[in-house]
Structure formats: structure tokens, C-alpha cells
């Protein structure tokens, strides 16, 4: 009998009135990890109502008072690091070292969020800055919270990407409703246990687990939700955007990040960054390198180097810190396998890989990938890397921009002027020059354009997106 976890409903750990639970199974141990509550729409209503009621008193606290709760949350996470990391490893298959890094990164992010909020200031303005305006009009611009923030997090960072929404929401003075991805919900529950232990005011925060079909749209359409921060698939993000009504949204969605490799690139640096960028956590990252656009002149050398390093990647159990771990589900593995099969059927060269054991896909490198192949355009969220050979920088930029995605891109060259020219031509939220795509460090803005999202995350921008300006005009005599 696996453990039954309760939902955190308006400050109280409770069993849902639905008397229904969802069993969470480990994607690599293939055994139940526990059961989570399938909460009802009526429970959603109560939690949002309580959040709305608790929020004004929370907003009335000083940043330092709110920060004390969050710093304690960070301390509690670190005190429980081993159990949390093991839960992340077992629930989403992240290897032990990366799972522990996620917990440490989350505590650092929470503490940084407190400091950032403490040092964000408003501004003042005088009317005479505008023609005909009076100097006696003194404008004081402050930031105020939006109200109740809905934070929806993905499976691949079940602690970090959830806290990256909840921490700025709370520091900005909001209440928060947290809806974790189902696979990752137990990790989210344990993260919230650490926050609840700080004595957070009752009602301010709720953790709602359950069927997206039951409460997904209900949450995003709820009239008392004042802002939604979502990380997940582009398909779900677009659906959420269509369902929400006049609510500020920040959407972190999919990607098809290209690594553009110029003929003058340092191939040792390039190879190491592409391997790390494409295959860490089996490519289950929105910022993973998901295609290589390489100058024909150096393609053979690059592919030879990539082959050698791909074949050196450890494959197997997350508990052994394998680099390549089982994917989050059989369905995810089927999806990746289909992309590989399609590419090979259309003439791609299998450099290495294309081996599967259940939901474990071995790292696969495909060369001579052409635009007619699905893997050239579709986000695999798995350990498959297509190499597309190009004749010019212009062709690389054109192919990069033909993607519906625009999250990040890497440019590898030893000519900084060329790198900046390419960076200027590629439609993406972030361009990495001689480095792999990545969301961190978390003091940087993080954003995607086109189908990769809208709005900007990163600690500072998240606080801004979860608050608004308020102007007070003092009319002096
Ligand atoms: O897929 C989640 C996205 O936030 C990636 O984060 O830190 O692995 O680049 P990171």
C-alpha cells in the first residue's frame, strides 16, 4: 500500500472530498511512489476564496517580514535536501546529482528573490518634465501585488520551477495557488511541506493536485485568479492563453534550440557544450540543444567528435548518476522513437544510438538530417540530436528562424563580430555565444518568443510580472 499524500488546501493538509486519488509511479523503478488527491472544483473555489481573503494582510507586511518566511523556507529545503532530492530522482528520473543540485539551486533562488525584492524601489516624477506640466505635480510610482497568482509547474523541475514562481509571487505580496504537474506532484508536496512549516498565514497558499481535465480549465478561467505563470508544453500554453480572460500571463513553453556551428568554431568547446546541452537529463529540458546547424566545412570533424562523446555517455539508473536516464513515460519514449524512425526512413544517417529498453532511449545522433524530416522541427524532449549541414551562415539563420519556436540558440565561432551578427539575426529569447542554452543563472532574464512563450522570468522579471505599478499624484500648492 503506497503512501497517500494530502493536498494543502488553504493552509491545511487535507484529503479531498472527492475520495479519489491518483497513483504516481516511478518512471524508472516502475513501482508506485504514492497517491495524490484529486481535488474537486468546489475545493478549488474555497482555496481561491481563502487566498483572496488572506492576501491583503500578507501584502501589508513589510518585505523583510515576508522575506523571513521565505528564508526559513530555503533553510527547511536544505535541511531536508536528501529526502527531497531522492523524491525528485524517484518521481521524475533525474539523476541523484542533478536532483540534489535542483534543491540547492531552489534554496539559492528563494534567498535571492528575498534580496531582490528588498532592493527594488519605486520612482518619483514631476509634471514639469512634460510641456505645460506643473512642477507642483509630484508623481510617486510604487509596485503593488496583483492579488492571487496561479503557479503551474512542469515535471522536469518539480521543485525549482515551482519555487521560481511561488517565491516571487509571495515576495511581491500575492497569495498563491500552486498546481504541480501530476508527475512531480509528490516532489511539489514535499517542497510545500517545507514552506508550510514556516507558519505561513493560513489561506495564503494552496497546493492543488488532481486531474487537469477536472481542475485545469477551471483554475485558469477562475474569475478570482489575477495572474498565471505557466511552464509546460506549447500546446497547453496556447490552450491556457485562449481560456484565460484579461489575466496577465507568463508562459515558458517549448523550444527547438539550434546550435549554430561556424567553420571557425573551436570544436572541442563546441562538442562539449552540445553534448551537455543536448543530453543532460536525457534532453528533457526546454532549453536543450535540439538541432545542430553546422557548416559543411567542419561537419565531418564535428560529427566525429560528437559521436565519440555520445558513446561515452553513461546510460541507466538515475541512482547511479547516469547521464542518460529513462524518460518520464513510455508515451514520451514512443514519441522520440517515432522521430528517429521517421528520420531514418527518410534517409538520415544513424551515427550512433537508436536503441531502446522500455522508456529508456539510448543517446542517438543523426547526421544528414534534412528539412523534410520531423526531427528537424519537432521538439523531442528526449536524447536524440539531429545534425543539419549548411552551406552558409545565412542558411543557418534562415533554418533557425523557420522553427515555430524561439527560446534560445547557441552560436559557436571565434569571431565575436560574426557571433553578434548571427545573434542579431536569430529570433530567440536568448543567444548563447560559445555556450550551451540554459535558463540560469537565475539572476538573468529568461524568456521565449513565438511558440516558446510570452513574458519574462528570472527573479527580477518574475517579481515585476507578479506586481503592477500604482501612481499616487501629490498636487502641491
Ligand atoms: O525545461 C525547463 C527549463 O527551465 C530549463 O532549465 O536550467 O535546465 O536550462 P535549465
Amino acid at each position: 500500500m503506497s503512501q497517500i499524500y494530502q493536498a494543502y488546501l488553504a493552509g491545511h493538509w487535507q484529503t479531498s472530498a472527492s475520495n479519489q486519488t491518483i497513483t504516481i509511479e516511478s518512471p524508472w523503478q516502475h513501482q508506485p511512489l504514492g497517491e495524490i488527491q484529486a481535488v474537486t472544483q468546489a475545493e478549488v473555489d474555497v482555496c481561491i476564496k481563502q487566498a483572496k481573503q488572506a492576501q491583503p494582510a500578507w501584502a501589508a507586511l513589510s518585505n523583510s517580514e515576508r522575506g523571513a518566511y521565505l528564508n526559513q523556507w530555503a533553510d527547511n529545503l536544505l535541511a531536508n535536501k536528501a529526502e527531497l532530492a531522492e523524491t525528485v530522482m524517484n518521481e521524475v528520473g533525474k539523476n541523484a546529482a542533478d536532483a540534489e543540485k535542483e534543491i540547492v539551486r531552489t534554496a539559492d533562488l528563494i534567498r535571492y528573490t528575498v534580496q531582490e525584492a528588498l532592493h527594488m524601489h519605486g520612482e518619483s516624477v514631476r509634471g514639469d518634465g512634460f510641456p505645460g506640466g506643473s512642477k507642483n505635480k509630484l508623481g510617486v510610482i510604487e509596485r503593488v501585488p496583483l492579488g492571487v497568482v496561479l503557479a503551474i509547474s512542469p515535471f522536469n523541475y518539480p521543485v525549482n520551477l515551482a519555487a521560481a514562481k511561488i517565491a516571487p509571487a509571495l515576495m511581491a505580496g500575492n497569495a498563491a495557488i500552486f498546481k504541480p504537474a501530476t508527475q512531480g506532484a509528490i516532489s511539489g508536496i514535499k517542497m510545500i511541506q517545507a514552506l508550510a512549516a514556516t507558519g505561513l498565514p493560513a489561506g495564503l497558499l494552496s497546493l492543488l493536485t488532481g486531474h487537469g481535465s477536472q481542475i485545469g480549465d477551471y483554475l485558469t478561467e477562475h474569475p478570482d485568479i489575477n495572474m498565471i505563470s505557466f511552464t509546460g508544453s506549447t500546446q497547453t500554453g496556447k490552450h491556457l492563453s485562449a481560456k484565460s480572460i484579461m489575466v496577465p500571463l507568463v508562459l515558458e513553453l517549448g523550444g527547438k534550440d539550434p546550435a549554430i556551428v561556424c567553420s571557425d568554431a573551436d570544436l572541442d568547446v563546441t562538442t562539449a557544450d552540445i553534448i551537455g546541452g543536448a543530453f543532460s537529463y536525457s534532453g528533457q529540458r526546454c532549453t536543450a540543444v535540439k538541432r545542430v546547424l553546422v557548416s559543411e566545412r567542419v561537419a565531418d570533424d564535428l560529427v566525429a567528435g560528437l559521436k565519440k562523446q555520445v558513446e561515452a555517455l553513461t546510460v541507466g539508473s538515475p541512482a547511479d548518476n547516469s547521464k542518460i536516464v529513462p524518460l518520464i513515460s513510455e508515451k514520451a519514449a514512443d514519441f522520440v522513437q517515432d522521430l528517429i524512425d521517421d528520420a531514418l526512413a527518410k534517409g538520415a544517417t544513424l551515427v550512433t544510438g537508436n536503441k531502446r529498453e522500455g522508456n529508456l532511449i539510448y543517446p542517438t545522433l543523426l547526421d544528414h538530417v534534412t528539412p523534410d524530416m520531423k526531427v528537424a522541427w519537432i521538439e523531442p524532449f528526449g536524447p536524440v540530436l539531429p545534425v543539419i549541414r549548411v552551406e552558409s551562415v545565412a542558411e543557418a539563420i534562415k533554418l533557425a528562424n523557420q522553427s515555430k519556436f524561439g527560446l534560445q540558440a547557441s552560436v559557436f565561432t571565434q569571431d565575436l563580430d560574426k557571433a553578434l551578427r548571427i545573434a542579431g539575426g536569430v529570433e530567440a529569447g536568448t543567444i548563447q555565444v560559445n555556450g550551451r542554452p540554459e535558463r540560469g543563472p537565475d539572476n538573468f532574464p529568461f524568456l521565449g518568443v513565438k511558440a516558446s512563450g510570452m513574458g519574462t522570468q528570472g527573479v527580477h522579471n518574475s517579481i515585476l510580472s507578479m506586481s503592477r505599478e500604482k501612481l499616487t499624484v501629490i498636487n502641491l500648492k
Side-chain angles (χ1 to χ4, degrees):
M1 177 74 175
S2 60
Q3 182 171 348
I4 295 178
Y5 292 91
Q6 296 184 315
Y8 189 62
L9 305 180
H12 304 287
W13 293 103
Q14 292 180 27
T15 300
S16 170
S18 71
N19 290 319
Q20 290 177 24
T21 60
I22 302 168
T23 300
I24 306 297
E25 187 174 283
S26 170
W28 62 281
Q29 297 165 315
H30 303 298
Q31 61 187 16
L33 293 173
E35 298 175 48
I36 60 172
Q37 302 299 312
V39 304
T40 65
Q41 293 181 358
E43 286 162 337
V44 169
D45 287 338
V46 168
C47 290
I48 293 176
K49 182 179 177 184
Q50 297 255 11
K52 191 173 178 181
Q53 287 172 352
Q55 186 268 332
W58 176 253
L61 296 178
S62 69
N63 270 323
S64 299
E65 289 168 320
R66 288 196 292 271
Y69 287 96
L70 271 75
N71 284 331
Q72 185 57 58
W73 182 21
D75 293 346
N76 294 349
L77 289 173
L78 291 180
N80 199 23
K81 179 175 67 175
E83 183 192 346
L84 265 168
E86 185 181 22
T87 303
V88 169
M89 178 180 74
N90 292 340
E91 189 172 19
V92 301
K94 189 169 286 188
N95 76 33
D98 289 344
E100 183 171 315
K101 280 180 200 162
E102 178 170 345
I103 308 309
V104 173
R105 177 182 181 181
T106 302
D108 291 343
L109 181 145
I110 292 167
R111 291 193 178 116
Y112 186 90
T113 302
V114 173
Q115 288 305 311
E116 185 70 16
L118 284 171
H119 298 97
M120 285 172 76
H121 303 293
E123 60 182 316
S124 66
V125 60
R126 290 274 183 168
D128 60 347
F130 190 82
S134 166
K135 187 176 180 183
N136 288 339
K137 277 192 174 299
L138 171 60
V140 178
I141 305 161
E142 297 176 282
R143 297 203 70 84
V144 297
L146 297 177
V148 180
V149 170
L150 171 59
I152 305 175
S153 62
F155 79 81
N156 62 344
Y157 279 90
V159 171
N160 182 262
L161 274 171
K165 302 173 189 299
I166 296 166
L170 293 176
M171 273 314 292
N174 298 288
I177 301 290
F178 169 38
K179 167 64 178 74
T182 297
Q183 194 76 29
I186 295 175
S187 303
I189 286 167
K190 293 192 174 183
M191 176 191 73
I192 295 300
Q193 285 171 349
L195 179 52
T198 66
L200 205 66
L204 189 70
L205 170 79
S206 288
L207 179 154
L208 301 173
T209 54
H211 297 291
S213 55
Q214 280 294 310
I215 60 171
D217 287 353
Y218 195 73
L219 275 164
T220 51
E221 293 172 318
H222 200 288
D224 290 331
I225 291 293
N226 304 112
M227 189 271 175
I228 301 173
S229 178
F230 169 81
T231 298
S233 71
T234 294
Q235 181 187 0
T236 305
K238 285 184 173 178
H239 175 80
L240 185 157
S241 177
K243 285 288 182 182
S244 57
I245 303 165
M246 279 189 71
V247 169
L249 297 178
V250 171
L251 304 176
E252 175 194 349
L253 307 178
K256 189 69 179 179
D257 293 1
I260 297 172
V261 183
C262 300
S263 57
D264 68 333
D266 176 330
L267 292 185
D268 291 338
V269 167
T270 303
T271 302
D273 273 316
I274 288 176
I275 293 294
F279 294 104
S280 66
Y281 188 37
S282 292
Q284 296 176 106
R285 294 168 49 243
C286 57
T287 50
V289 172
K290 292 172 186 154
R291 50 187 172 149
V292 175
L293 307 176
V294 56
S295 165
E296 181 65 64
R297 278 184 277 170
V298 295
D300 289 345
D301 291 341
L302 178 71
V303 168
L306 289 174
K307 177 180 188 293
K308 189 175 176 188
Q309 294 212 17
V310 168
E311 291 175 343
L313 290 169
T314 50
V315 179
S317 166
D320 299 334
N321 275 325
S322 300
K323 286 295 181 191
I324 303 298
V325 293
L327 297 184
I328 197 67
S329 66
E330 282 287 337
K331 184 181 173 189
D334 291 343
F335 185 80
V336 173
Q337 189 63 56
D338 174 66
L339 295 177
I340 295 170
D341 295 345
D342 172 77
L344 297 178
K346 291 175 181 172
T349 302
L350 175 64
V351 179
T352 186
N354 190 26
K355 180 182 172 187
R356 176 179 177 178
E357 294 161 6
N359 57 320
L360 176 64
I361 299 260
Y362 280 65
T364 299
L365 183 62
L366 300 170
D367 192 2
H368 300 291
V369 171
T370 49
D372 60 314
M373 299 173 190
K374 290 194 283 189
V375 75
W377 307 107
I378 291 175
E379 179 179 42
F381 240 66
V384 57
L385 183 63
V387 175
I388 300 168
R389 296 171 176 232
V390 295
E391 294 298 336
S392 67
V393 165
E395 184 185 358
I397 292 172
K398 182 181 174 197
L399 283 171
N401 290 338
Q402 269 181 303
S403 169
K404 70 177 184 179
F405 294 110
L407 190 60
Q408 299 203 5
S410 289
V411 179
F412 294 95
T413 173
Q414 297 185 72
D415 177 341
L416 190 53
D417 291 298
K418 183 196 292 187
L420 294 181
R421 280 198 306 277
I422 295 170
V426 172
E427 296 161 8
T430 302
I431 308 292
Q432 302 276 0
V433 174
N434 294 323
R436 72 184 68 169
E438 60 181 345
R439 168 171 50 118
D442 292 318
N443 60 320
F444 281 19
F446 179 62
L447 68 156
V449 296
K450 302 196 297 185
S452 290
M454 56 190 266
T456 304
Q457 292 183 107
V459 170
H460 182 80
N461 291 92
S462 291
I463 294 172
L464 290 179
S465 70
M466 295 172 176
S467 59
R468 66 169 175 86
E469 291 183 327
K470 185 168 187 178
L471 170 63
T472 302
V473 178
I474 301 163
N475 293 281
L476 303 167
K477 297 303 174 207

